[in-house]
Amino acid sequence: MHFRNTLLSFIILIISNPCTAQESKFDRIFTETAQKLLSSNPKKALENTDYLYSIAVDDSQKMKSCMLKATLLRQYGLRKEAVASLKRADSIAARADNYTMQARINGFLSTLYRENNIYSLGSIHLQRAVKASRKIIDKSEMNKFLGNLSQETAYYRMYASEYKKAISHLKNGNKLFQKTGPEVDKNFQTAVNDEMIAKNYLSLNEVDSAFFYYDKAQRELSISGSAESPLKGFILNGLAAVYSKKDMPAKALENFKDAEKIADDSNFFTLKQEVYTSLMDFYKNNDAALYITYNEKNQKLNQNEENSRKAIADELIKTLRRKQFNNESHYQQTTYIIIGCCIFIVLITLALYFYKRQSDYKKFKNYINKQDSAVIKDVQASPKKEVGKEYMSETAENNILKNLDEFENSQSFLRKDISLNSAAAELGVNHRYLSYVINKHKSKDFAGYISELRINYIVERLKNDPSYLKYKISFLADQAGFSSHSRFTITFKKVTGFSPLTFITYLQKENEK
């Protein structure tokens, strides 16, 4: 989230004692790399991290260089390589009984694993970080680390939707920050925590409490040493969401626009993403044109970020690999064999790719032909043979089937809040009887039945309305009644055998004939 910037400062704050020319040189290169090159010249920054490790005069400097390298690699999506660099630093910290560095490193590892959705490993490193922090002799330093780790712990609770527990951890973190010395910017740290507390209250729909903490965070940030940090944009965006829930659209829009300006001026990716998403939600039901505008902005933002990260990551990977092969001329023959194998694999892969494309296209045509010969609303109806006693009379079953036909014609299945109970109430039947008839005559449960109706509906729109071929996948998902892009994509492929993008590509190809 928006704490990417705090990790960098977390590393730069490592204590150094410049008492030799060599250490002074290390500190100078470290500072330049962390503050300038990390963003402006990542390739040079990567080379510097290896050089810093080579000139390090003690374990502390070695660990600092490893953590800086991990920060760079993480920033551009190379989490596996970042973890490897942190593991190297962790082994040094364990050997030296350096609890401060153990706390930093394990806290960083917790973040990396959490971001990669490996919560079990992340939780282990979080506990190690907490344990190491409590062994730090300097009480101010100890409280600072425990305060930072309260934020990390809160993220785990938020992932589990345990918002009250997350709030409790963050409030405890604020108490810990108040116990730190003057070297810690207490106002900024508590502003970060209070913004997170407000966000959790918003998730609990406790709007007044959310407003209180957003307002508190705003006041704390204004008197901190980082008053103009991107955190200000997150706070304004949160306040806008509160005003929106309070049915105060003018105030909401004012704060949204202020947050958007900070996001655009800072070019801070996560803030821009959060603000654009909030504005999409704000305009969704009252201004379709602006909803589409911010949806497209969000899509473009994500695509540009992905392309940028991939390009830089590729360059960093090349740099890492190039270093491995330096001064290894006697391995040239092996290298040629590897290259030859790679070319061979690429050729085989390309051949398999084109074969699969042709095979998939045939499957697509068969699917379309099958769809053309069937009534679009029909979901495969091959009644199961019931073993044992029937649950209702044949007349009752036929009445429910007739009601289902009307239900399908009404397109009520496109409602996002549709459920077995609400559908049963709409049809005027017992929900158990409805479930039984769907299972028997449609050969699937209620959720599968609704999902297939929705996919069949959107397939028909794609086939018969050329304008639908130009829409974003997220728009198609919304039109079909799905609450998320990912769920729509998974269900679409399950029903049709193709991803939405592949299906649209084949359909466009078919229409051009």
Side-chain angles (χ1 to χ4, degrees):
M1 295 179 71
H2 58 275
F3 299 106
R4 209 179 323 184
N5 58 329
T6 63
L7 270 173
L8 182 56
S9 60
F10 193 59
I11 296 169
I12 296 173
L13 285 172
I14 297 173
I15 299 172
S16 60
N17 299 305
C19 56
T20 68
Q22 186 79 318
E23 283 182 314
S24 177
K25 181 179 181 181
F26 179 97
D27 293 333
R28 178 177 54 78
I29 296 174
F30 182 93
T31 302
E32 179 188 18
T33 303
Q35 295 183 354
K36 297 179 181 178
L37 300 179
L38 209 63
S39 299
S40 63
N41 192 343
K43 182 179 177 181
K44 177 63 177 175
L46 181 62
E47 293 173 353
N48 278 5
T49 60
D50 289 328
Y51 179 66
L52 284 168
Y53 190 89
S54 71
I55 66 171
V57 297
D58 56 31
D59 288 342
S60 178
Q61 290 187 349
K62 288 180 179 178
M63 288 183 285
K64 284 178 66 175
S65 62
C66 287
M67 291 187 70
L68 183 60
K69 184 175 185 177
T71 302
L72 171 66
L73 294 169
R74 174 213 180 201
Q75 185 171 324
Y76 295 103
L78 301 174
R79 291 194 178 97
K80 181 179 178 182
E81 290 80 0
V83 167
S85 185
L86 286 174
K87 291 286 188 182
R88 187 181 191 183
D90 192 33
S91 65
I92 299 171
R95 183 178 69 237
D97 285 334
N98 189 324
Y99 299 119
T100 298
M101 293 305 295
Q102 286 180 29
R104 294 181 192 277
I105 295 163
N106 281 283
F108 200 167
L109 282 166
S110 172
T111 299
L112 279 172
Y113 283 122
R114 173 174 56 79
E115 289 176 342
N116 216 31
N117 297 319
I118 308 176
Y119 289 90
S120 56
L121 280 176
S123 181
I124 290 171
H125 285 285
L126 176 58
Q127 293 307 312
R128 288 179 182 173
V130 170
K131 185 177 179 180
S133 295
R134 288 173 177 157
K135 294 181 179 180
I136 296 174
I137 297 174
D138 186 309
K139 294 301 181 184
S140 176
E141 188 84 354
M142 178 189 74
N143 288 319
K144 180 185 71 172
F145 276 101
L146 290 173
N148 283 322
L149 291 172
S150 73
Q151 297 168 9
E152 183 68 12
T153 304
Y155 280 125
Y156 283 83
R157 300 284 71 81
M158 290 164 71
Y159 167 77
S161 299
E162 296 174 350
Y163 303 114
K164 288 189 179 296
K165 289 184 178 180
I167 290 169
S168 177
H169 284 293
L170 291 164
K171 287 182 176 179
N172 185 57
N174 279 347
K175 293 177 183 177
L176 292 165
F177 285 130
Q178 294 305 323
K179 297 178 182 179
T180 59
E183 75 281 358
V184 176
D185 190 343
K186 297 182 182 66
N187 287 311
F188 180 79
Q189 295 292 352
T190 53
V192 170
N193 272 16
D194 286 334
E195 190 271 342
M196 288 181 68
I197 291 171
K199 188 168 291 183
N200 279 280
Y201 274 125
L202 206 55
S203 296
L204 291 167
N205 208 29
E206 295 182 19
V207 181
D208 289 335
S209 295
F211 179 81
F212 174 84
Y213 279 97
Y214 275 127
D215 182 62
K216 185 170 179 284
Q218 191 174 41
R219 284 185 278 108
E220 289 164 340
L221 183 64
S222 68
I223 58 175
S224 75
S226 305
E228 297 304 316
S229 87
L231 177 61
K232 183 177 180 180
F234 287 97
I235 294 171
L236 290 168
N237 188 65
L239 282 169
V242 170
Y243 284 125
S244 184
K245 283 185 176 288
K246 284 176 170 285
D247 199 23
M248 299 170 66
K251 289 289 291 182
L253 187 58
E254 178 184 345
N255 280 274
F256 274 137
K257 288 301 180 182
D258 288 342
E260 184 181 14
K261 185 176 187 308
I262 292 172
D264 291 338
D265 289 346
S266 66
N267 200 29
F268 197 86
F269 170 76
T270 313
L271 177 57
K272 291 173 79 172
Q273 187 180 50
E274 189 166 310
V275 172
Y276 291 164
T277 300
S278 296
L279 283 166
M280 282 170 58
D281 292 337
F282 181 74
Y283 287 121
K284 186 172 185 178
N285 297 319
N286 54 50
D287 194 325
L290 284 172
Y291 169 79
I292 292 173
T293 296
Y294 282 102
N295 184 34
E296 289 176 346
K297 275 189 173 185
N298 211 1
Q299 295 284 341
K300 184 178 179 181
L301 175 71
N302 288 321
Q303 189 61 54
N304 289 344
E305 176 71 0
E306 183 180 344
N307 291 341
S308 175
R309 282 174 177 267
K310 186 177 184 303
I312 295 173
D314 287 346
E315 189 63 27
L316 292 178
I317 286 290
K318 288 178 184 177
T319 302
L320 289 169
R321 299 296 179 263
R322 191 179 302 119
K323 184 177 182 296
Q324 293 174 1
F325 284 98
N326 279 346
N327 302 318
E328 295 182 4
S329 58
H330 57 284
Y331 287 115
Q332 275 189 349
Q333 186 176 1
T334 304
T335 303
Y336 292 143
I337 293 173
I338 292 172
I339 293 173
C341 289
C342 289
I343 294 172
F344 177 74
I345 291 170
V346 168
L347 292 174
I348 293 296
T349 303
L350 287 173
L352 290 173
Y353 170 77
F354 286 115
Y355 173 78
K356 188 176 184 304
R357 290 275 293 182
Q358 287 182 331
S359 176
D360 284 349
Y361 187 61
K362 288 179 182 178
K363 290 178 184 177
F364 166 79
K365 294 191 72 172
N366 290 337
Y367 177 83
I368 291 296
N369 292 335
K370 188 185 295 183
Q371 286 291 105
D372 290 339
S373 65
V375 180
I376 191 64
K377 71 180 180 64
D378 284 346
V379 176
Q380 295 177 358
S382 53
K384 293 180 179 178
K385 291 182 179 180
E386 293 295 330
V387 178
K389 185 178 178 181
E390 294 287 344
Y391 288 171
M392 64 188 76
S393 67
E394 185 177 349
T395 301
E397 282 191 32
N398 289 334
N399 285 336
I400 292 177
L401 285 170
K402 182 179 178 182
N403 287 338
L404 280 176
D405 287 341
E406 294 174 359
F407 170 78
E408 293 171 7
N409 285 327
S410 72
Q411 296 182 352
S412 294
F413 54 83
L414 295 177
R415 297 202 319 266
K416 290 184 180 180
D417 61 349
I418 194 71
S419 66
L420 177 60
N421 287 334
S422 64
E426 184 177 330
L427 299 178
V429 299
N430 182 285
H431 72 278
R432 290 189 179 88
Y433 290 168
L434 178 60
S435 178
Y436 169 77
V437 170
I438 290 173
N439 187 267
K440 178 179 177 182
H441 290 272
K442 308 298 182 179
S443 298
K444 48 185 62 67
D445 61 14
F446 178 78
Y449 169 65
I450 292 297
S451 294
E452 193 163 330
L453 284 173
R454 289 172 170 175
I455 297 303
N456 285 343
Y457 166 80
I458 210 68
V459 165
E460 189 65 14
R461 300 301 299 168
L462 288 167
K463 286 167 56 181
N464 297 321
D465 188 344
S467 64
Y468 268 68
L469 299 174
K470 301 175 183 177
Y471 291 142
K472 302 285 186 182
I473 302 301
S474 56
F475 178 79
L476 298 179
D478 189 67
Q479 288 288 295
F482 287 89
S483 58
S484 74
H485 177 125
S486 59
R487 178 55 56 190
F488 170 71
T489 301
I490 291 169
T491 307
F492 192 98
K493 186 165 186 178
K494 182 178 179 182
V495 173
T496 67
F498 306 93
S499 69
L501 186 59
T502 300
F503 189 90
I504 290 171
T505 301
Y506 285 154
L507 198 56
Q508 289 172 330
K509 181 179 178 180
E510 190 70 13
N511 291 342
E512 290 172 358
K513 291 185 177 180

